[in-house]
């Protein structure tokens, strides 16, 4: 879990975070409310997950409940990876 | 200026003739009456030589100086400026056109006025004699002028209703300094040159500064529809016209409405063809410019030259529709083919002319287009701007309508589908879930009552650029609230207007004058001494359109419905019924890739960013890396890159290395 969280943080920091790095972002901060991700960003994020973790994200899974914070993303990735 | 009744036209045109000059103006009023230095005035007007490259004239009277840069079109003997009335008690320097000057002149002749020239400039002087500062209410045109009234030692400045022609000013020391462009003001040694972070905050929200602010500290613009009087050291700025909408528009018969609108548009076109030089037309392949081209041909029944931009990138190109119109109307057409590389190449020059940062590269192709027009020997073009604002054409109006509809039933599964249909050209949007669409488009029931409802998604998205601001700029603007400022400026009764009218008002008040007519309009055309004329912005059309019921402007989700009705039979059906495509140009790809713009490092290096102090070099560095990797870029990255680069160019050319 810690590793997944670290990778998410690193990815977000490198691609979306512009205001001083990772420390400013809390695990439960909403990417939408913080203005971190726009419509292109969501698809970039999905692309990264699919490439990095080797699973496919269904269109029905493209919802803020799954993707809109570090915690939610980490939990989503764990769930997807746990599936046989 | 042309001798009376000379007819010079394109092909077989037989048009009423005016004495015309396109130009730039500048001036100084020293409050302490210290004599104005003619050399200084000459330097100021010299900065806008592109607006009038054929000569400059000055008038000085002790503490007052007026200057004028002219573009000769034909014999100028009758219309040199600055121009005075018969007893030389009133002087004017004028940029623009008073299209109804013939009718005004006729009326003044009946009242006993005697004219020395055939020019519209002289009509301004006589109408000022007759009505004083109220003279502007009689004008149908596009103007920026300064009148010096010796009797009252009064300077009177005015700008047209919608903001077609620019007029900027500043007070420095004991002087009021004004001109068509900011670069003239900066030629005056007393004028400070610095970017105003508060203005940049506004621009990175609504795409332009909120008048009277410009991007430069202490440099102001006279807002559209305003006049200004300077007398006894006091400056009084006030509106003489406002764009207003009825609370409950009167129902209208569709056919009668379309007939009246077409009648007004035809007359607006007719008087804008008054010229002693050939007049061409911009033809984008959309509804507005196609109808306008048809109306020109209806009025003149003569050959017409049309001009357009074609893009190498098919995503932006509309040349297929352009060809449909050219075949249908049989115009003599020229196009400029524009690649990403072309845009990158001219971008720094484009910003020298916009005099403010921009968020898109879309002005650049219009810069290339006006160069083509000039090279073809044309100096005047009619163009379709203003239709989308006045008749409900923009996607943002439809978007707001759908958002309202969805916000009434946020759990609806079907309503968000309309948003996907609205933006078929935004591929990323097509894959988003309802929940994300709701978040991106602010579909929250509680926001429906917000007077800025229509524009909040756009402005929020634009505001993401501010993440790149340096710590110093962020601290400086930390107490600013652009939305509060915009709400404070809403006209009385705004809350009771129909929601489409509210959205139209916001669009016509900010984006239209500040970006469409300025950065994409006057500044790009005048960069190559070309004058744009806008029949859709004839105030009779604008006022009539304001009273048309919203349901006739946008019927369900059919934009500009009433205009499409006007256009039936006049333009190809393929164009009348085509889906609307917003005018856009490639942004990030214009600067990166195999032909990376050679100046990027000069403007965006760590050192250059630190010297300007506006943006955070580390964050910009991250963005540049992303751009160079060529990965998919969203609106945010595209807007940010263009905003940062253009701001850096503004800083370099106007602040750090300004050359007078």
């Amino acid at each position: 879990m810690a590793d997944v969280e670290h990778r998410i943080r690193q990815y977000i920091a490198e691609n979306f975070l512009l205001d001083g790095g990772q420390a400013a972002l809390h695990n439960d901060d909403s990417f939408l409310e913080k203005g971190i991700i726009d419509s292109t960003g969501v698809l970039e994020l999905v692309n990264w997950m699919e490439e990095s973790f080797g699973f496919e994200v269904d269109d029905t899974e493209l919802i803020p409940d799954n993707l809109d914070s570090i915690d939610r993303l980490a939990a989503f990735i764990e769930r997807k990876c746990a599936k046989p | 200026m042309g001798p009376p009744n000379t007819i010079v036209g394109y092909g077989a045109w037989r048009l009423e003739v005016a004495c015309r000059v396109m130009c730039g103006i500048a001036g100084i009023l020293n409050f302490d009456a210290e004599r104005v230095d003619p050399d200084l005035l000459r330097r100021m007007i010299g900065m806008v030589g592109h607006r009038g490259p054929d000569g400059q004239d000055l008038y000085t009277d002790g503490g007052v100086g007026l200057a004028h840069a002219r573009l000769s079109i034909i014999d100028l003997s009758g219309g040199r400026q600055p121009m005075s009335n018969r007893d030389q008690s009133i002087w004017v320097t004028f940029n623009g056109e008073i299209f109804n000057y013939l009718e005004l002149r006729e009326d003044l002749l009946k009242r006993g006025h005697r004219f020395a020239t055939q020019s519209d400039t002289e009509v301004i002087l006589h109408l000022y004699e007759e009505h004083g500062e109220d003279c502007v209410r009689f004008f149908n045109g596009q103007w920026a002028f300064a009148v010096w009234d010796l009797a009252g030692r009064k300077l009177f400045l005015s700008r047209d209703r919608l903001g077609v022609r620019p007029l900027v000013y500043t007070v420095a020391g004991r002087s009021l300094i004004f001109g068509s462009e900011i670069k003239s003001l900066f030629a005056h040694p007393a004028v400070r040159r610095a970017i105003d972070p508060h203005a940049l905050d506004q621009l990175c929200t609504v795409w332009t500064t909120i008048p009277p602010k410009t991007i430069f500290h202490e440099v102001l613009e006279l807002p559209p529809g305003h006049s200004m009087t300077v007398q006894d050291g006091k400056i009084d700025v006030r509106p003489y016209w406002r764009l207003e909408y009825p609370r409950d528009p009167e129902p209208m018969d569709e056919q009668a409405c379309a007939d009246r609108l077409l009648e007004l548009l035809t007359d607006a076109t007719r008087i804008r063809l008054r010229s002693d030089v050939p007049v061409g037309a911009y033809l984008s392949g959309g509804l507005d410019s196609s109808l306008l081209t048809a109306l020109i041909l209806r009025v003149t029944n003569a050959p017409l030259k049309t001009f357009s931009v074609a893009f190498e990138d098919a995503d932006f190109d509309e040349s297929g529709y352009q060809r449909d119109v050219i075949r249908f109307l049989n115009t003599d057409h020229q196009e400029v083919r524009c690649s990403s590389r072309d845009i990158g190449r001219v971008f720094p020059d484009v910003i020298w002319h916009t005099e403010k940062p921009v968020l898109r590269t879309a002005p650049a192709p219009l810069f290339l287009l006006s160069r083509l027009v000039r090279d073809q020997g044309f100096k005047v073009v009619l163009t379709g701007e203003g239709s989308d604002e006045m008749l409900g054409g923009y996607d943002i109006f439809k978007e707001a309508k759908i958002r309202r509809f969805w916000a009434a039933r946020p759990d609806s599964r079907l309503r968000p589908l309309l948003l996907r249909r609205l933006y078929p050209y935004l591929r990323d949007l097509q894959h988003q879930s309802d929940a994300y669409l709701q978040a991106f488009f602010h579909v929250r029931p509680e926001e429906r009552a917000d007077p800025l409802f229509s524009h909040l998604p756009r402005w929020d998205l634009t505001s993401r650029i501010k993440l790149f601001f340096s710590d110093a700029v962020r601290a400086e603007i930390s107490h600013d609230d652009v939305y509060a400022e915009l709400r404070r400026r809403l006209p009385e009764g705004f809350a009771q207007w129909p929601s489409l009218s509210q959205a139209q008002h916001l669009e016509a008040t900010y984006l239209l004058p500040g970006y469409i007519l300025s950065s994409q309009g006057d500044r790009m055309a005048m960069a190559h001494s070309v004058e744009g004329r806008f029949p859709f912005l004839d105030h009779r059309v604008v006022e009539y359109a304001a009273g048309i019921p919203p349901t006739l402007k946008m019927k369900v989700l059919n934009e500009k419905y009433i205009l499409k009705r006007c256009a039936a039979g006049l333009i190809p059906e393929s164009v009348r019924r085509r889906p609307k495509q917003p005018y856009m140009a490639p942004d990030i790809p214009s600067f990166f890739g195999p032909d990376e713009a050679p100046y990027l490092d000069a403007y965006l290096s760590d050192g250059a960013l630190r010297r300007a102090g506006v943006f955070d070099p580390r964050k910009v560095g991250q963005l540049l890396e992303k751009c160079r990797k060529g990965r998919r870029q969203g609106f945010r990255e595209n807007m940010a890159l263009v905003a940062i680069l253009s701001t850096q160019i503004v800083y370099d050319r106007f602040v750090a290395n300004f050359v007078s």
Side-chain angles (χ1 to χ4, degrees):
Chain A
M1 184 75 181
D3 174 53
V4 171
E5 187 191 308
H6 175 73
R7 287 169 69 182
I8 294 170
R9 271 192 175 278
Q10 196 171 8
Y11 173 74
I12 297 288
E14 282 171 8
N15 290 276
F16 301 112
L17 260 193
L18 302 157
D19 54 352
Q22 307 174 44
L25 186 68
H26 300 292
N27 274 17
D28 57 352
D29 280 344
S30 157
F31 296 155
L32 282 166
E33 280 169 25
K34 288 264 172 184
I36 292 167
I37 278 181
D38 62 8
S39 56
T40 307
V42 172
L43 300 185
E44 260 187 83
L45 183 66
V46 170
N47 194 34
W48 169 75
M49 275 192 296
E50 290 182 337
E51 282 179 4
S52 307
F53 297 96
F55 56 72
E56 279 186 17
V57 181
D58 193 76
D59 275 1
T60 56
E61 294 172 312
L62 289 178
I63 52 173
D65 276 352
N66 288 337
L67 311 175
D68 195 40
S69 70
I70 291 175
D71 276 348
R72 287 177 182 190
L73 258 182
F76 178 67
I77 291 168
E78 294 279 322
R79 277 202 308 279
K80 293 290 286 186
C81 290
K83 279 186 187 168
Chain B
M1 290 294 172
N5 303 320
T6 304
I7 293 179
V8 181
Y10 180 71
W13 286 16
R14 293 275 153 180
L15 298 170
E16 297 144 292
V17 171
C19 310
R20 300 280 154 184
V21 284
M22 288 166 278
C23 48
I25 63 172
I28 301 171
L29 172 65
N30 289 332
F31 296 123
D32 56 9
E34 188 188 326
R35 188 180 148 273
V36 168
D37 174 5
D39 286 337
L40 175 56
L41 206 50
R42 217 166 271 129
R43 276 203 301 282
M44 285 173 60
I45 198 68
M47 294 304 295
V48 290
H50 50 278
R51 301 184 76 94
D54 295 331
Q56 294 145 16
D57 284 305
L58 309 179
Y59 160 81
T60 57
D61 169 30
V64 177
L66 306 179
H68 188 264
R70 71 168 186 271
L71 178 70
S72 308
I73 290 173
I74 199 167
D75 169 38
L76 278 167
S77 57
R80 288 182 88 95
Q81 289 192 51
M83 182 189 279
S84 74
N85 62 348
R86 291 173 73 83
D87 66 6
Q88 302 201 334
S89 62
I90 300 169
W91 288 80
V92 67
T93 183
F94 162 51
N95 166 216
E97 307 289 343
I98 306 298
F99 298 117
N100 63 337
Y101 77 105
L102 287 174
E103 291 78 9
L104 293 171
R105 190 171 189 276
E106 196 64 31
D107 190 51
L108 287 160
L109 281 167
K110 283 183 198 149
R111 290 165 183 264
H113 288 259
R114 289 165 59 201
F115 287 82
T117 74
Q118 294 289 316
S119 69
D120 54 349
T121 311
E122 197 182 0
V123 170
I124 296 176
L125 287 164
H126 284 269
L127 213 63
Y128 180 83
E129 284 181 327
E130 190 74 22
H131 298 287
E133 296 172 11
D134 279 340
C135 64
V136 293
R137 297 177 193 277
F138 296 85
F139 296 149
N140 183 338
Q142 49 193 45
W143 68 83
F145 66 73
V147 164
W148 173 240
D149 183 340
L150 272 83
R153 306 294 295 170
K154 181 169 77 175
L155 185 68
F156 173 62
L157 297 123
S158 180
R159 193 170 171 213
D160 61 70
R161 293 174 181 86
L162 277 310
V164 176
R165 292 281 158 253
L167 188 53
V168 289
Y169 66 99
T170 187
V171 174
R174 293 291 301 152
S175 303
L176 174 95
I177 303 151
F178 64 89
S180 294
E181 298 190 15
I182 295 170
K183 44 183 78 72
S184 284
L185 275 48
F186 285 167
H188 193 297
V191 178
R192 182 181 155 205
R193 304 189 312 271
I195 289 178
D196 177 355
H198 306 285
L200 190 64
D201 185 22
Q202 295 176 348
L203 190 141
C204 290
T205 310
V206 296
W207 289 48
T208 180
T209 52
I210 300 174
K213 262 191 188 302
T214 71
I215 199 64
F216 297 105
H217 199 66
E218 290 168 3
V219 176
L220 303 177
E221 68 169 308
L222 186 60
H226 279 63
S227 292
M228 172 170 152
T229 308
V230 191
Q231 195 171 26
D232 301 327
K234 291 193 195 76
I235 297 174
D236 176 36
V237 177
R238 64 206 173 280
Y240 65 86
W241 184 85
R242 286 191 177 94
L243 175 61
E244 287 174 336
Y245 290 86
R247 180 181 173 156
D248 299 303
E250 295 282 327
M252 287 183 182
D253 173 71
E254 260 184 46
Q255 192 56 50
C257 176
D259 290 347
R260 179 63 183 147
L261 181 60
L262 190 62
E263 184 186 354
L264 285 169
L265 275 172
T266 306
D267 199 59
T269 305
R270 182 184 65 83
I271 62 173
R272 277 162 184 76
L273 290 167
R274 288 174 169 171
S275 172
D276 51 4
V277 292
V279 178
Y282 279 174
L283 179 60
S284 72
L287 174 67
D288 310 321
S289 62
S290 303
L291 176 59
L292 187 54
T293 303
L295 291 181
I296 295 171
L297 291 168
R298 240 184 158 192
V299 173
T300 63
N301 196 24
L304 174 67
K305 189 111 177 171
T306 49
F307 301 93
S308 70
V309 175
F311 287 101
E312 279 189 359
D313 185 335
D315 280 354
F316 302 98
D317 188 54
E318 296 183 79
S319 48
Y321 288 113
Q322 290 161 9
R323 280 193 291 275
D324 287 352
V325 183
I326 295 158
R327 269 196 303 271
F328 189 85
L329 295 174
N330 194 26
T331 69
D332 176 11
H333 190 75
Q334 290 268 326
E335 67 179 25
V336 59
R337 278 201 81 74
C338 187
S339 68
S340 302
R341 194 178 170 189
D342 296 330
I343 292 173
R345 204 177 56 239
V346 298
F347 194 69
D349 290 338
V350 165
I351 300 306
W352 171 248
H353 288 283
T354 61
E355 299 193 312
K356 66 167 87 161
V358 294
L359 310 183
R360 282 189 176 167
T361 61
L366 295 166
F367 177 87
L368 295 167
L369 182 61
S370 70
R371 191 166 70 191
L372 169 74
V373 171
R374 183 199 59 190
D375 292 348
Q376 291 290 313
F378 280 71
K379 291 163 177 171
V380 181
V381 285
L382 264 60
T383 173
E385 279 81 358
S387 172
D388 283 323
E389 291 81 357
M390 303 309 161
L391 293 162
Y394 282 128
D395 284 341
I396 198 169
F397 302 143
K398 276 198 259 187
E399 181 191 294
K401 191 168 184 176
I402 296 170
R403 287 168 51 233
R404 273 185 198 284
F405 178 62
W406 188 10
R409 288 267 316 277
D411 53 350
S412 163
R413 299 289 302 169
L414 295 177
R415 296 183 185 205
L417 297 178
L418 291 168
L419 279 171
R420 289 200 188 93
R421 239 183 62 188
L422 177 59
Y423 295 113
Y425 50 88
L426 297 182
R427 286 188 284 265
D428 289 354
L429 266 190
Q430 301 303 319
H431 300 285
Q432 304 292 341
S433 66
D434 298 355
Y436 268 114
L437 283 177
Q438 242 174 348
F440 296 138
F441 288 101
H442 279 252
V443 181
R444 295 177 203 132
E446 67 275 15
E447 281 182 359
R448 291 171 80 203
D450 192 321
L452 307 180
F453 176 86
S454 56
H455 283 64
L456 289 175
R458 179 202 284 174
W459 291 343
D460 277 359
L461 182 64
T462 307
S463 295
R464 305 281 186 252
I465 300 167
K466 299 174 202 174
L467 286 169
F468 291 88
F469 282 171
S470 66
D471 289 345
V473 167
R474 292 172 81 137
E476 178 85 19
I477 63 168
S478 60
H479 297 296
D480 291 7
D481 184 342
V482 180
Y483 292 168
E485 173 77 16
L486 291 164
R487 288 191 183 101
R488 196 175 63 73
R489 288 163 174 271
L490 295 173
E492 208 177 317
F494 183 91
Q496 280 75 48
W497 291 352
S499 46
L500 177 63
S501 307
Q502 293 179 337
Q504 283 184 272
H505 189 275
L506 291 174
E507 203 68 357
T509 306
Y510 298 109
L511 198 76
L512 177 67
Y515 176 75
I516 301 284
L517 294 178
S518 178
S519 299
Q520 277 190 191
D522 173 84
R523 302 312 185 92
M524 291 307 100
M526 278 294 177
H528 295 113
S529 313
V530 172
E531 178 184 271
R533 299 183 181 179
F534 309 87
F536 285 99
L537 293 176
D538 184 305
H539 71 280
R540 297 168 302 170
V541 174
V542 170
E543 288 167 4
Y544 183 73
I548 296 176
T551 47
L552 290 188
K553 287 181 218 168
M554 192 189 296
K555 197 158 202 171
V556 191
L557 288 176
N558 189 359
E559 80 281 356
K560 289 187 288 199
Y561 169 79
I562 197 70
L563 192 68
K564 286 176 184 164
R565 221 177 140 145
C566 290
L570 296 174
I571 63 173
E573 277 302 283
S574 61
V575 172
R576 198 171 77 93
R577 293 177 183 278
R578 64 171 285 197
K580 184 172 169 56
Q581 178 174 337
Y583 167 68
M584 288 166 69
D587 292 317
I588 288 176
S590 296
F591 306 103
F592 294 90
D595 294 314
E596 185 167 307
Y599 50 77
L600 282 188
D601 199 47
Y603 292 124
L604 299 176
S605 69
D606 206 75
L609 289 158
R610 275 183 212 291
R611 279 192 293 282
V614 179
F615 297 103
D616 183 316
R618 191 186 57 80
K619 296 175 197 170
V620 176
Q622 275 184 333
L623 176 67
L624 292 178
E625 204 184 308
K626 223 177 155 184
C627 293
R628 288 195 168 110
K629 280 182 187 161
R631 299 232 309 270
R632 176 161 48 191
Q633 312 289 356
F635 278 121
R636 191 173 69 162
E637 286 83 3
N638 277 289
M639 269 197 291
L641 189 275
V642 179
I644 293 164
L645 178 59
S646 57
T647 305
Q648 289 292 112
I649 296 171
V650 166
Y651 173 79
D652 177 69
R653 299 195 66 173
F654 289 91
V655 178
N657 298 306
F658 181 76
V659 180
S660 167

